[in-house]
Amino acid sequence: MASSPQSPQPQAPAQDALEISRQSRILAALSKKVIDLDELRMLAAQGVPDGAGVRSTVWKLLLCYLPNDRALWEQELAKKRSQYEAFKDEFLSNTVGGNTAIRGPEGHSGGNAEHVQNGSLDRSEIAQDEHPLSLGKTKEWNQFVEYSEMIEQVDRDVKRTHPDMHFFCGDSSFAKSNQESLKNILIIFAKLNAGIRYVQGMNEILAPLFFVFRNDPDYKNANFAEADSFFCFVELLSGLRDNFCQKLDNSAVGIQGTLSKLMQLLRKYDGELQHHLEIRTEVSLHVLLPRFHISCC
């Protein structure tokens, strides 16, 4: 018996030609002296090819890390990478075994900073009401405790980042080096953004950036992946920071408002899935809220 007629399936060569054409358009857009970011954004919306460092360059452009004028790239990269090294010197220079000396909310040393060694307060310089067994709680001691807890949380989360990828996990020096870079970025961000600090989940946002930049075939760009990832991470998070601030949870711009918008979109575009989640399984997206916070702002 003859089989029933079926709609012709797209031919692989035609699909390949389309993909090659799209990649060529992205490369052409990147080769311009002054890049049209609107055009690049439209092309990137369908996916960015993974070869020749294209994805790394596109992400840096769309996250405003690179200026659209190619002539300014070298100067801008040198300035930003130098600035990141200054951040490391300021915030991580006294780091030993994952502990960093106490500094003020904006990264400036507190009153007892000259007596802080390897992240610990010199016992002789701890006033009676600052002693850990004292019932009194002072700013210096609270700051030390909060910062230590943040460092521990960052360390735990970084070690759990993509456990299925040898790039991030394992005993190799390469994996440990990559983990250290993630920790450095998250700690510096937390110190520069005292109102938010570090919130669980930030490591997952950072990881793809660092992975792509570290695998750039241009060895110079790959060597500066940590600095480049930091600034792109800051830019990316600038549009999400209200979702990480617990004081804004119940506001229109906080995580509750974001989840409500997500549920409305789900209801509009996939009512069956929305019905399955909320009615059949009685799962609301709002139950995910506690997973967004490990600290309040």
Side-chain angles (χ1 to χ4, degrees):
M1 180 184 293
S3 58
S4 57
Q6 295 180 352
S7 302
Q9 297 296 317
Q11 297 299 310
Q15 289 179 327
D16 290 343
L18 242 133
E19 180 64 16
I20 292 172
S21 172
R22 188 177 63 81
Q23 292 184 17
S24 299
R25 291 170 65 193
I26 290 179
L27 291 173
L30 292 175
S31 67
K32 294 178 181 178
K33 182 178 179 181
V34 178
I35 296 167
D36 185 337
L37 293 182
D38 289 333
E39 177 191 14
L40 183 62
R41 189 174 291 108
M42 179 189 69
L43 293 170
Q46 302 172 33
V48 182
D50 196 24
V54 175
R55 182 174 296 170
S56 173
T57 303
V58 170
W59 283 11
K60 290 173 185 177
L61 281 162
L62 295 183
L63 287 169
C64 303
Y65 181 54
L66 286 176
N68 64 336
D69 188 341
R70 293 176 61 92
L72 301 176
W73 283 10
E74 187 174 349
Q75 175 187 346
E76 189 65 21
L77 285 173
K79 183 178 74 173
K80 291 289 190 182
R81 289 164 177 173
S82 175
Q83 184 180 356
Y84 182 73
E85 286 304 310
F87 286 153
K88 289 184 72 173
D89 288 341
E90 181 176 1
F91 298 118
L92 306 177
S93 58
N94 292 327
T95 300
V96 175
N99 293 320
T100 306
I102 297 176
R103 296 180 186 269
E106 300 304 323
H108 303 295
S109 299
N112 287 340
E114 65 270 27
H115 304 293
V116 177
Q117 297 294 331
N118 301 332
S120 302
L121 287 173
D122 189 319
R123 179 169 180 166
S124 63
E125 299 302 327
I126 300 178
Q128 179 62 34
D129 57 354
E130 291 176 343
H131 193 279
L133 298 181
S134 172
L135 295 178
K137 292 183 179 180
T138 66
K139 180 180 178 180
E140 288 292 332
W141 178 250
N142 286 339
Q143 184 182 9
F144 177 76
V145 172
E146 290 173 5
Y147 184 66
S148 298
E149 291 174 349
M150 184 269 289
I151 293 292
E152 291 175 4
Q153 185 65 55
V154 168
D155 188 62
R156 284 196 298 270
D157 288 350
V158 164
K159 288 177 179 177
R160 292 195 293 245
T161 302
H162 293 289
D164 56 325
M165 296 176 64
H166 294 300
F167 180 89
F168 291 111
C169 289
D171 296 326
S172 70
S173 59
F174 182 64
K176 290 184 181 299
S177 172
N178 293 334
Q179 287 184 1
E180 194 65 26
S181 291
L182 294 184
K183 285 192 285 187
N184 290 343
I185 293 170
L186 293 170
I187 291 170
I188 292 173
F189 176 86
K191 297 298 288 182
L192 288 171
N193 296 271
I196 296 179
R197 297 174 63 225
Y198 170 75
V199 180
Q200 195 169 25
M202 287 182 178
N203 59 307
E204 299 292 348
I205 296 174
L206 171 61
L209 291 171
F210 183 75
F211 177 82
V212 168
F213 296 165
R214 188 69 181 85
N215 285 291
D216 193 310
D218 184 319
Y219 77 93
K220 186 175 182 181
N221 285 332
N223 288 340
F224 284 103
E226 185 178 320
D228 296 348
S229 298
F230 170 78
F231 286 104
C232 288
F233 174 71
V234 170
E235 181 63 30
L236 184 59
L237 221 60
S238 66
L240 303 171
R241 58 180 296 147
D242 289 345
N243 291 326
F244 289 98
C245 187
Q246 196 167 22
K247 291 180 180 177
L248 296 176
D249 276 352
N250 296 316
S251 70
V253 298
I255 190 62
Q256 293 279 14
T258 300
L259 289 175
S260 294
K261 291 175 186 175
L262 177 59
M263 188 57 71
Q264 290 171 13
L265 290 172
L266 194 59
R267 188 177 294 111
K268 180 178 180 180
Y269 293 103
D270 197 335
E272 183 180 354
L273 177 58
Q274 181 269 331
H275 182 271
H276 175 78
L277 288 174
E278 287 202 315
I279 308 302
R280 294 184 61 185
T281 62
E282 298 182 351
V283 172
S284 170
L285 293 181
H286 292 76
V287 303
L288 300 176
L289 177 61
R291 300 179 63 183
F292 281 82
H293 299 295
I294 61 163
S295 63
C296 60
C297 61

